[in-house]
Amino acid sequence: MATQYSISGTTAKGIAASVERAVTDGGLGPGDALPPVRRLADDLGVSPGTVATAYKELRQRGVVVTRGRGGTVVAAAPAVASRRPPKVPEGLRDLAGGHPDPAFLPDLLPPAQLSPGSRSHRSAPRLPELEEAVRAWIGGHGVPVEHVTFAHGALDCVARLLSTELRPGDTVAMEDPGYHHLLDLVQALGLRSVAVPVDDEGMRPEALAAAVRAGARAVVYSPRAQNPYGGCFSEGRRDALVEVLRETPEVLVIENDHASDIAGAELNSLAAGGLSRWAHVRTVTKFLGTDLRWAAAACDPTTLARHDGRLLLTSGWISHLLQRTVLGLMSDGDTMGLVDRARTAYGERRRALVAALGSHGIAAHGMSGMNVWVPVVDESGVVNGLRSRGWWVAAGFRFRIASGPGVRISTAGLEPGDAVRLASDFAEVLGESEATYGG
């Protein structure tokens, strides 16, 4: 507990550094409360303003959050300590990781010709052939592709876009439930998340409108294969969301089409709706290989300039060896045939689990992608009950802001026959839970 750790320092920076060390070392954990400002000021012999400044700095860097009357507590995923998923216990079937089936991933081989010598690619950071391939890949769905750029994966791209546009304390509209790494990233950047509930068609327009009215300066979402809920935009939902965002042209719209080719649903992109500030981001990790830390983005010219300006000052460019590898895979007919088979198999496996659960009267959501979301009353009870039967699924708390409890089941490697057995076990676990809680 926080009371067991002694915070030290006589300046705001010293106090903030002391708290940060405690979080890094594990002396303070997620949710632990920091002392009230006046009490800590008295303990340290400093002014309340000094402590308040230290707490403000920690908030801006995503180490702590303030909960009104609940005081200041260590963030659920503090920026100084990464929150890794729990290790899969030995002997359990892993349905928690969200990983693709290795059987549908191509062999990764380095390009035949490696870059000679040591030279800078800052003046020409992108392979022209890969740029053209990206324009054909993304532009086929109606997204404008005059301006494209690359990044070290989707999260890297989103982080750069948000950090160049927003400042600590600004608000980002986020899907709820949503992808836990994105939720953690927003918090780590010192930004605040405002929950936008989702359903089978993605973000709800009225909730997004409320978030924008409340001052959200950016919105991050997935148009299909929404993680963890599995929603995908219909044409009607896309049009309704575009209508909301056209009223606030200053809001940055970030579309994370992370599953793209294996999503199992058509893309209805907001980026094709004539918005002022936008970026459509895609990666290949789900269908070409998890080690290919590469993403492409199409965006408006202002967003492109700000993203590339920051990239130029950091890594400078994305490895040309990596670009050449991605280009080779995207141009290979056998590889893309494997991707087609993966898309079909993932769709069959996802639908099989939803149907199997439904046969037991268990509602589940998974219109697209590689995950199924199952609302439950008691997350830990379901996770532990399935664990005792040989299954390892993800508790929903990591994905939620304000939405109700649930569990996420990754279906990429779950054959239809196994889905029937899992659904039967799930029903038994829910029966035990109802007996415990009285229905």
Side-chain angles (χ1 to χ4, degrees):
M1 296 294 294
T3 54
Q4 297 173 323
Y5 182 86
S6 178
I7 298 173
S8 61
T10 57
T11 65
K13 287 191 177 298
I15 296 168
S18 174
V19 172
E20 187 169 328
R21 282 195 301 272
V23 174
T24 303
D25 296 341
L28 289 172
D32 282 348
L34 271 60
V37 169
R38 291 189 178 279
R39 186 202 304 168
L40 183 58
D42 289 343
D43 291 346
L44 298 179
V46 300
S47 71
T50 299
V51 176
T53 299
Y55 283 10
K56 179 180 179 181
E57 180 180 337
L58 290 166
R59 281 196 304 274
Q60 289 178 338
R61 290 192 288 108
V63 180
V64 303
V65 295
T66 299
R67 294 177 175 170
R69 294 184 179 180
T72 299
V73 302
V74 178
V80 296
S82 60
R83 179 175 65 172
R84 300 289 182 182
K87 227 177 153 181
V88 181
E90 192 172 343
L92 297 189
R93 180 77 177 275
D94 182 13
L95 302 177
H99 307 302
D101 186 339
F104 293 115
L105 297 178
D107 294 329
L108 297 184
L109 299 174
Q113 293 183 335
L114 304 182
S115 296
S118 174
R119 56 197 177 95
S120 172
H121 292 295
R122 290 181 188 273
S123 60
R126 295 182 292 276
L127 293 178
E129 310 97 300
L130 186 54
E131 278 197 48
E132 288 309 306
V134 164
R135 287 190 170 93
W137 182 36
I138 297 178
H141 297 278
V143 178
V145 290
E146 182 180 357
H147 306 283
V148 299
T149 190
F150 302 158
H152 297 98
L155 285 172
D156 174 70
C157 186
V158 173
R160 195 172 293 109
L161 291 169
L162 290 175
S163 63
T164 58
E165 294 287 338
L166 278 63
R167 295 294 176 266
D170 286 344
T171 300
V172 183
M174 302 291 292
E175 297 166 321
D176 185 25
Y179 183 40
H180 57 92
H181 286 310
L182 275 173
L183 296 176
D184 292 349
L185 172 63
V186 166
Q187 184 173 282
L189 292 174
L191 306 172
R192 295 186 297 121
S193 296
V194 57
V196 180
V198 301
D199 57 26
D200 289 331
E201 295 184 67
M203 274 188 163
R204 298 179 182 174
E206 70 281 0
L208 178 59
V212 170
R213 285 195 301 270
R217 294 196 54 206
V219 53
V220 183
Y221 63 90
S222 291
R224 51 184 173 175
Q226 196 274 342
N227 189 356
Y229 207 88
C232 52
F233 290 167
S234 64
E235 291 185 10
R237 179 60 57 87
R238 174 202 61 198
D239 294 345
L241 293 170
V242 166
E243 191 66 26
V244 169
L245 293 168
R246 278 180 179 161
E247 299 297 318
T248 52
E250 71 281 1
V251 172
L252 176 62
V253 178
I254 302 177
E255 186 165 86
N256 179 23
D257 191 22
H258 62 95
S260 60
D261 287 28
I262 48 86
E266 288 297 317
L267 173 64
N268 288 302
S269 171
L270 304 192
L275 302 177
S276 298
R277 300 297 314 284
W278 60 274
H280 175 90
V281 183
R282 287 194 189 180
T283 183
V284 296
T285 55
K286 294 297 185 186
F287 56 91
L288 292 185
T290 53
D291 257 347
L292 292 178
R293 310 311 298 172
W294 173 88
C299 42
D300 69 87
T302 299
T303 299
L304 177 98
R306 292 178 180 178
H307 174 278
D308 284 8
R310 182 65 60 87
L311 178 67
L312 183 67
L313 295 172
T314 53
S315 61
W317 67 90
I318 311 305
S319 163
H320 278 212
L321 299 181
L322 176 58
Q323 291 187 47
R324 185 70 64 184
T325 301
V326 172
L327 177 62
L329 291 170
M330 292 179 71
S331 306
D332 180 69
D334 290 341
T335 296
M336 299 318 293
L338 187 61
V339 173
D340 289 340
R341 294 196 293 277
R343 177 173 57 251
T344 300
Y346 292 157
E348 291 173 349
R349 295 171 183 182
R350 184 187 68 251
R351 290 189 293 271
L353 179 59
V354 172
L357 289 168
S359 70
H360 291 277
I362 302 170
H365 302 275
M367 296 292 289
S368 59
M370 300 192 301
N371 299 295
V372 168
W373 178 260
V374 188
V376 298
V377 174
D378 177 20
E379 290 181 359
S380 61
V382 170
V383 170
N384 289 326
L386 290 175
R387 175 178 180 174
S388 69
R389 289 163 171 81
W391 308 100
W392 185 246
V393 303
F397 75 91
R398 302 178 70 219
F399 305 90
R400 299 188 287 111
I401 303 174
S403 59
V407 295
R408 190 193 74 171
I409 304 173
S410 296
T411 57
L414 187 69
E415 296 285 354
D418 292 333
V420 172
R421 183 166 62 88
L422 171 60
S424 177
D425 288 344
F426 205 114
E428 289 182 7
V429 169
L430 289 184
E432 294 172 359
S433 177
E434 287 179 1
T436 300
Y437 289 95

